Structures are given as C-alpha cells and as structure tokens.
C-alpha cells in the first residue's frame, strides 16, 4: 500500500509539473514560439495524460501557426484530433474543430473546416457545459466570416470576426482570441476608413504593449500600419512601421509575413524612387514567397492524406465489422442446421424404435 501511495504521489507531482509546463508554454507562445515548442515537445515525449497531450499538440499547432509553419501546424492539429477521437474526448474534439478554423481557411480548406465543425457539433447533446456553447457560437461566426470574405462582403466579415471574438473572450482562450484579433487587424483597413482603422490598430498596440506582450500581434498590426501610412502617402512612417514588423518577423522566424512585409517595403521604396532597395526587398520577398507556397502545398497535402487515410480506416472497419457479422450469422445458421439435422436424426431413430416395439 505504501508503494502504491508513493506511485500515486509521484504521478500527481508529474501531472502538476506538466500542467505548469503547459502554462509556461502558453505564456511565451507569442513572444518566443520556438521556446514554447521545446516545452510542448518535452511534454509530448513524457506525459501519459491524454488531455495534457492534446493541449500540448494544440499549443504546438498555435506556435507553428504564429511562425507561419503551416504544415507543422497541420500535423500537430491532426495529432490532437486523432488522440481526442481515440480517447473519446468529445469536449476536446469540439475545441480542436474550432481551433482549426483559421488554419484551414488560410489554406483554402473552408469546406473541410465547416464539415469538421458540423461533425463535432453533434456532441453538444452529451456535454452540458456553457463554455462549449461559447466555442460553438464563436466557431460558426468564424465560418460565416470566411464565407463573407469569399463574397467580398467586408462589412459582414468584420462584423462576424468581432462577434466571434466576443464569444472567445468569454472562454479566455488566448490562442483563438489572438488569431481572431489578427484577422480583425488585417480586415479593418479594407472594411473601414483610414482613420477608423488607425484607431483600431493603435488600440490593439496599446493593449498588447502592457503586461501581456504579444509579438505575433505586434507584427500583424505594424504591417497593417505600414499599409495604412502608405495609403496616406506618409512614406517615412510607412517604412518605420514595416521595419518594426520585419524585425519581429525575423525574431519569430515567420516567413509568410516576412515575405509580405518585404513586399510592402519594396513598394514604399519604389514610391520614393529608391530602386536599389526596391529590387533588394522585392527579390527577397519573392524568394520567401516560393518557400511559403511549398510549405502551404505540403500542408494541404497533409490534410488530404489524413482525410484519405481516415476514410480508408473507416472503410476497413466497416468491412471488418461486416465480415465479422457475416461469420457470426454463418455460425448461427450452421448451428441451426446442425440442430435441425440432429433433431431429424433423433426423430427417425425414435420412429424406428417405436416400429420395432
């Protein structure tokens, strides 16, 4: 009993330690995503708690998303999904489906994102948690946002992103809040006027420059400010904003934004007739864009491979179930036949005995 108690105590200490590590990984997720990945990697290697592993994979997906490593983000999200399904963790299945919406839509897989949402929404009947409803309401608002985006209905895109973030803020899910706020920052300049966009972007900066520093959001906002100042023909401020964004993109190693920011710098230098810097930044932007395209193609292929493998697995399970049921049915029929033959034999045997008698 003492040894069993000792093992339980060690297990509890490990779980507490892993919980603290998850919290640490999340706290540095958007300032030091590489360090966050090291922590989640350790957790995945050492934890035996399914819920902790799922959370670690979700953090890993978020860190890779912040770094623009979309194929790695997809792989981590897929591992979280598979583990949640294997352990029948319906709550986490719903949270994973909502967490994957931004990533899947970025890759142009909006149909996959919506279908995944529909597949997991059915679990709400078994989960009587108010928080789950907040996730679902935020999730459908995100899906609607991207639908309106495809239709170029920018006011509705903005409205639904804001609606989604209202729900996510009630869950305190910092990953969904950050990714949705980033989407709001990117759409604001297109959906509103320059002054409204400037106020909104500055509000975000004010909020993240305090206690909860978020380099990923700073990069997104500074990039948008670069575009905003360019539209106002305030080229000096545009260069400053773009440079601030570029510094962060290099710090967190985000190639997609690195390419986009360099393109913005090239355009601004062209407006200033600085052809040397224009060609330099445009060349760097194009090279990075090619690398990003390859990674995004790999991410899409990873999704399709997973879907195909999943369908094959389910088809095989159905086939195995059919074969098993067929064998059982054949066994029952054989038993019935043997019973009938046995009864016939006994009946004829008795009949002959009666005749002899």
């Amino acid at each position: 009993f003492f040894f069993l108690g000792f093992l339980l105590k060690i297990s509890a200490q490990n779980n507490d330690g892993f919980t603290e590590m998850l919290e640490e990984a999340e706290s540095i997720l958007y300032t030091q995503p590489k360090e966050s990945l090291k922590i989640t990697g350790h957790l995945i290697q050492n934890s035996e708690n399914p819920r902790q592993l799922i959370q670690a994979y979700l953090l890993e997906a978020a860190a890779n998303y912040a770094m623009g490593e979309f194929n790695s983000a997809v792989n981590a999200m897929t591992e979280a999904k598979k583990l949640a399904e294997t352990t029948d963790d319906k709550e986490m299945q719903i949270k994973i489906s909502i967490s994957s919406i931004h990533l899947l839509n970025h890759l142009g897989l909006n149909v996959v994102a919506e279908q995944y949402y529909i597949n997991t929404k059915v679990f709400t009947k078994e989960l009587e948690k108010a928080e789950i409803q907040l996730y679902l309401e935020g999730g459908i608002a995100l899906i609607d946002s991207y639908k309106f985006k495809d239709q170029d209905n920018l006011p509705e895109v903005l409205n639904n992103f804001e609606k989604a973030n209202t729900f996510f803020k009630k869950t305190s899910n910092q990953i969904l809040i950050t990714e949705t706020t980033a989407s709001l920052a990117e759409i604001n300049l297109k959906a509103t006027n320059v002054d409204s966009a400037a106020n909104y972007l500055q509000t975000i900066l004010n909020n993240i420059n305090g206690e909860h520093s978020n380099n990923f959001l700073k990069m997104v906002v500074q990039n948008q400010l670069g575009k905003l100042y360019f539209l106002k023909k305030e080229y000096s401020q545009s260069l400053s904003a773009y440079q601030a964004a570029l510094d962060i993109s290099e710090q967190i190693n985000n190639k997609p934004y690195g390419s986009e920011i360099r393109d913005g710098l090239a355009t601004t230098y062209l407006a200033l007739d600085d052809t040397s810097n224009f060609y330099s930044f445009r060349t760097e932007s194009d090279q990075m864009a090619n690398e990003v395209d390859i990674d995004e193609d790999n991410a899409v292929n990873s999704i399709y491979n997973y879907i195909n493998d999943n369908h094959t697995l389910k088809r095989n399970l159905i086939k195995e179930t059919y074969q098993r049921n067929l064998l059982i049915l054949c066994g029952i029929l054989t038993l019935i036949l043997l019973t009938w033959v046995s009864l016939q034999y006994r009946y004829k045997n008795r009949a002959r005995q009666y005749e002899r008698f």
Side-chain angles (χ1 to χ4, degrees):
F1 287 107
F2 173 79
F3 182 66
L4 180 60
F6 176 75
L7 288 179
L8 289 173
K9 184 177 180 181
I10 292 294
S11 177
Q13 288 175 343
N14 284 341
N15 280 329
D16 289 342
F18 288 143
T19 300
E20 290 176 5
M21 290 175 71
L22 280 171
E23 292 172 355
E24 175 64 17
E26 185 172 3
S27 70
I28 62 173
L29 177 61
Y30 293 113
T31 52
Q32 301 176 69
K34 285 184 179 179
E35 293 302 314
S36 183
L37 283 173
K38 290 179 183 178
I39 297 173
T40 57
H42 177 80
L43 279 163
I44 291 166
Q45 289 293 321
N46 294 281
S47 177
E48 296 180 358
N49 183 311
R51 179 63 72 90
Q52 286 179 346
L53 287 169
I54 293 168
Q55 292 171 329
Y57 278 123
L58 285 175
L59 282 171
E60 192 169 87
N64 279 299
Y65 184 85
M67 294 166 62
E69 297 288 344
F70 300 117
N71 190 37
S72 295
V74 162
N75 290 334
M77 193 72 73
T78 302
E79 289 301 319
K81 181 179 184 292
K82 288 192 289 189
L83 185 54
E85 289 173 349
T86 302
T87 57
D88 198 30
D89 191 333
K90 293 180 172 61
E91 180 181 340
M92 291 309 295
Q93 286 185 59
I94 289 174
K95 291 180 178 180
I96 294 164
S97 75
I98 308 304
S99 298
S100 67
I101 293 174
H102 284 297
L103 174 60
L104 291 172
N105 275 275
H106 175 84
L107 297 170
L109 300 173
N110 50 317
V111 175
V112 176
E114 184 172 6
Q115 189 58 54
Y116 187 20
Y117 174 87
I118 293 169
N119 291 347
T120 55
K121 187 181 178 183
V122 297
F123 299 142
T124 50
K125 297 175 183 177
E126 304 174 43
L127 300 169
E128 296 181 0
K129 285 189 174 182
E131 185 190 46
I132 293 300
Q133 194 58 40
L134 293 173
Y135 273 94
L136 290 169
E137 292 291 346
I140 195 61
L142 278 187
I143 289 170
D144 288 342
S145 296
Y146 285 109
K147 284 183 177 179
F148 284 121
K149 192 174 183 180
D150 289 339
Q151 300 166 11
D152 287 326
N153 189 341
L154 299 183
E156 282 302 318
V157 175
L158 187 64
N159 179 51
N160 279 278
F161 274 140
E162 288 174 343
K163 185 178 177 182
N165 228 11
T166 299
F167 288 113
F168 294 146
K169 286 177 180 177
K170 292 177 182 177
T171 69
S172 300
N173 186 315
Q174 293 304 315
I175 294 171
L176 281 168
I177 293 168
T178 292
E179 292 180 2
T180 307
T181 302
S183 296
L184 278 165
E186 290 183 331
I187 202 67
N188 225 283
L189 184 58
K190 299 175 183 176
T192 63
N193 58 58
V194 172
D195 290 335
S196 292
N199 290 333
Y200 181 76
L201 294 171
Q202 191 57 53
T203 299
I204 296 176
L205 279 182
N206 292 341
N207 289 336
I208 60 180
N209 276 333
E211 182 181 354
H212 304 289
S213 184
N214 189 317
N215 285 347
F216 174 73
L217 269 183
K218 283 181 185 178
M219 175 186 67
V220 174
V221 171
Q222 290 291 358
N223 183 43
Q224 290 301 310
L225 284 171
K227 295 179 181 181
L228 184 147
Y229 290 129
F230 181 85
L231 289 175
K232 295 173 70 174
K233 296 184 178 181
E234 297 176 3
Y235 300 129
S236 178
Q237 286 181 277
S238 177
L239 289 176
S240 296
Y242 276 135
Q243 188 59 54
L246 183 63
D247 291 342
I248 297 173
S249 74
E250 290 177 342
Q251 179 186 338
I252 65 175
N253 198 31
N254 188 305
K255 289 181 181 178
Y257 271 101
S259 174
E260 183 178 330
I261 294 162
R262 282 173 170 82
D263 186 65
L265 281 165
T267 304
T268 307
Y269 277 119
L270 182 63
L272 293 169
D273 294 324
D274 187 338
T275 55
S276 177
N277 274 314
F278 164 73
Y279 285 118
S280 176
F281 280 111
R282 177 57 57 85
T283 300
E284 290 177 10
S285 175
D286 290 344
Q287 289 173 345
M288 295 185 84
N290 289 334
E291 295 176 29
V292 172
D293 287 343
I294 292 170
D295 181 62
E296 290 180 345
D297 288 343
N298 289 337
V300 172
N301 288 334
S302 293
I303 290 289
Y304 284 133
N305 289 337
Y306 168 73
I307 292 172
N308 289 334
D309 291 344
N310 204 31
H311 285 173
T312 301
L313 177 62
K314 288 180 179 178
R315 188 167 59 248
N316 290 340
L317 286 173
I318 292 170
K319 184 179 178 180
E320 288 172 7
T321 302
Y322 171 77
Q323 290 174 337
R324 185 170 60 252
N325 290 341
L326 184 61
L327 287 171
I328 292 170
L329 181 59
C330 287
I332 293 171
L333 290 173
T334 302
L335 182 61
I336 292 171
L337 182 61
L338 289 171
T339 303
W340 180 82
V341 170
S342 176
L343 289 172
Q344 284 291 95
Y345 173 78
R346 291 176 64 185
Y347 172 76
K348 289 179 179 179
N349 192 41
R350 286 288 178 89
R352 283 195 294 269
Q353 288 176 359
Y354 285 138
E355 285 174 1
R356 292 194 195 103
F357 181 77

